[in-house]
Amino acid sequence: MNPYQNGREAYLAASVSTASPQQLLVMLYERLTLDLQRASEALRTGEPSKAHEPLLHAQEIVLELNASLDLKAWDGASGLASLYDYLHAELVKANIGKNLRITDFCLDLVSTLRDTWRDAAMGLVAESA
């Protein structure tokens, strides 16, 4: 075992437990982006079996994002829920077919969403300062 593993795990646990809801959302999007980057790289290098786990984890994150969405919180929530449903379906297709094109499409979509949520979270931090 890596001697830094326990320290890394402790740091991650502390980061998650002290993060605001906005920061947690951005953290989920960052991990989702990382999963899709890993899957894309595996598919691009001809190792489709290595794409399975990151694509599966990406599906789980999207399901969690959708489940935690408060549809009454704002007018655009139902549209975002529909987008999550679509994204999940595309991730399933990408994983079943080990499809690089679909994986990269999902990565582009998620990267845009991540950047948008990150900007929004930073705006909230700036407003509260």
Side-chain angles (χ1 to χ4, degrees):
M1 177 181 250
N2 183 337
Y4 299 104
Q5 189 68 27
N6 288 339
R8 181 177 176 272
E9 288 175 10
Y11 173 78
L12 288 174
S15 295
V16 169
S17 66
T18 60
S20 69
Q22 296 84 5
Q23 290 168 321
L24 286 173
L25 181 65
V26 171
M27 291 167 107
L28 278 172
Y29 270 105
E30 287 174 348
R31 179 51 198 258
L32 179 56
T33 302
L34 179 62
D35 286 336
L36 292 173
Q37 289 169 338
R38 287 176 175 167
S40 179
E41 182 62 22
L43 293 170
R44 190 170 278 104
T45 59
E47 299 178 285
S49 63
K50 290 185 177 180
H52 177 72
E53 286 301 320
L55 284 170
L56 194 61
H57 192 248
Q59 292 169 46
E60 292 170 0
I61 292 173
V62 172
L63 289 174
E64 180 60 34
L65 287 168
N66 203 2
S68 65
L69 186 60
D70 181 357
L71 296 175
K72 296 176 184 164
W74 56 290
D75 292 341
S78 63
L80 185 56
S82 295
L83 184 59
Y84 286 153
D85 289 339
Y86 173 74
L87 181 58
H88 182 263
E90 291 299 296
L91 289 169
V92 169
K93 280 194 255 182
N95 202 5
I96 290 170
K98 301 301 184 260
N99 189 305
L100 177 60
R101 184 188 59 76
I102 296 173
T103 301
D104 283 347
F105 169 78
C106 292
L107 176 57
D108 288 344
L109 177 61
V110 166
S111 295
T112 301
L113 289 168
R114 179 206 56 209
D115 293 347
T116 301
W117 284 114
R118 185 187 297 144
D119 291 348
M122 290 178 71
L124 289 173
V125 170
E127 286 178 14
S128 65

